[in-house]
Amino acid sequence: MNLTPWPRVVAVALTGSAILALVVLAFLWPSVTSTVHDIPIAVVGDNPAVTSQLSRQFDVLPATSREDAIAQLHSRTAYGAIVLGTQPEVLSSSANGTVVGQMLDSVAARLNTTATDVVPFASSDARGAGLSAMTFPLVIGGIAGGVIISMLVRGVRRRLLATAAYGVGAGVVIVAIAAEWFGILQGDTLALVAAVTMAVLAVSAPIVGLTTVVGPAGIGVVAVVMMFLGNQISGAAAPWQFLPSPWGVVGQFFPPGAGATLMRNLSYFPDAATAQAWWVLASWIAAGVVFMVVGHRKITASAHSTVPASSMPASSMPEAARVAL
């Protein structure tokens, strides 16, 4: 038995330590570096002193009336509002996250009033803990599905079917649990199923596709990107505006961030824009499909360059050629 050279032993140990450091950094960095800033808040009325003070912590947006401010809350253009006057009124939408509600309660206290919660969490998930926790299981589920299909299913058409079926099945099961059982998700059931399905597929499809092209290494690449990058800057637990620029914005272009935003909007902000989230998820799914097709052509070309498929029956074709069918 050949013993591992001592320099290699040390190199392996140091590499493992470096990887562990990156993992710890990935999980701690968002919470340590996040700060309260750039939360959009609508202001009705003209009071330069109040507006100047608010602008230190919020992104102040003008509103023409109380009704306009409420409309901005429902569309998530603003996360809170202040109606100035003899007795100021503070409006909040705690469904954006408990930290947002706490911030606006603090503002209300400084103005010697109370905050009215216009868009609260459902009583079944009163603090939004369930909604905030939804993102990570979807990422894990997408990774698990991609790994299982990559390892057990051969053939591009079979992989496409298995991936699609897995995504739909995951969407139905997860919504049944999260919406119908626990009441975490609110809103239209079919829309929620579509959102969860695409959130899972946006993780699993790239794994299956990249594995078709580069082999098992594709699993590790996508898993690291989704879990240690996309999940950490998703803005699921706290508003993405809290993250250092530009990571909050960048996070919305990864499946965890787009999925979290889409589920929150569908559940509590039906007037909010959702096109970007849908397109982001669809783009990642499309990328996975493209990788599958490219891998299929690569395998087919390799098989044909070895033995022409037309010269022998399918039963005698090389394994690579049969797998590609």
Side-chain angles (χ1 to χ4, degrees):
M1 180 180 68
N2 294 327
L3 299 177
T4 303
W6 287 109
R8 185 177 180 183
V9 172
V10 175
V12 169
L14 293 178
T15 301
S17 299
I19 293 173
L20 177 60
L22 290 175
V23 171
V24 172
L25 180 62
F27 278 90
L28 294 182
W29 174 78
S31 59
V32 172
T33 58
S34 64
T35 57
V36 179
H37 66 282
D38 292 340
I39 293 297
I41 184 170
V43 176
V44 181
D46 185 18
N47 188 324
V50 174
T51 302
S52 176
Q53 186 178 14
L54 290 172
S55 63
R56 300 173 186 173
Q57 197 173 35
F58 299 93
D59 179 14
V60 179
L61 306 174
T64 57
S65 63
R66 185 178 189 274
E67 290 71 24
D68 180 33
I70 292 176
Q72 291 190 39
L73 264 61
H74 283 296
S75 65
R76 288 195 91 186
T77 305
Y79 286 11
I82 297 177
V83 182
L84 298 174
T86 306
Q87 179 59 50
E89 182 182 10
V90 176
L91 307 174
S92 70
S93 53
S94 63
N96 282 298
T98 54
V99 65
V100 174
Q102 292 169 356
M103 289 170 57
L104 290 165
D105 285 341
S106 177
V107 171
R110 293 203 300 268
L111 295 175
N112 195 29
T113 186
T114 58
T116 301
D117 199 347
V118 177
V119 190
F121 282 112
S123 58
S124 51
D125 187 25
R127 298 189 59 81
L131 186 60
S132 298
M134 282 285 297
T135 302
F136 191 64
L138 293 186
V139 173
I140 295 297
I143 293 173
V147 171
I148 292 171
I149 294 169
S150 298
M151 294 177 62
L152 301 181
V153 180
R154 310 292 294 274
V156 64
R157 289 174 294 183
R158 290 167 176 79
R159 283 186 167 185
L160 284 169
L161 176 60
T163 304
Y166 176 79
V168 173
V172 171
V173 170
I174 291 172
V175 170
I177 294 173
E180 304 301 329
W181 189 356
F182 291 129
I184 294 172
L185 298 177
Q186 306 291 313
D188 182 74
T189 300
L190 289 179
L192 290 172
V193 169
V196 174
T197 295
M198 292 187 67
V200 172
L201 285 176
V203 177
S204 59
I207 288 179
V208 178
L210 199 58
T211 302
T212 305
V213 176
V214 302
I219 296 174
V221 170
V222 179
V224 168
V225 169
M226 297 298 177
M227 186 178 297
F228 298 126
L229 178 60
N231 184 68
Q232 303 311 310
I233 59 176
S234 65
W240 60 264
Q241 290 90 344
F242 284 11
L243 294 170
S245 180
W247 294 109
V249 175
V250 171
Q252 297 304 297
F253 289 91
F254 284 84
T261 296
L262 188 56
M263 287 187 294
R264 190 179 297 271
N265 286 353
L266 292 175
S267 293
Y268 293 103
F269 302 93
D271 295 337
T274 58
Q276 176 180 309
W278 288 114
W279 277 111
V280 167
L281 297 178
S283 298
W284 282 90
I285 296 170
V289 173
V290 169
F291 282 137
M292 290 186 217
V293 173
V294 170
H296 162 67
R297 291 181 177 177
K298 178 181 176 182
I299 293 173
T300 303
S302 176
H304 287 176
S305 65
T306 304
V307 180
S310 59
S311 66
M312 61 179 62
S315 59
S316 302
M317 290 171 62
E319 175 67 16
R322 294 203 304 273
V323 167
L325 296 177

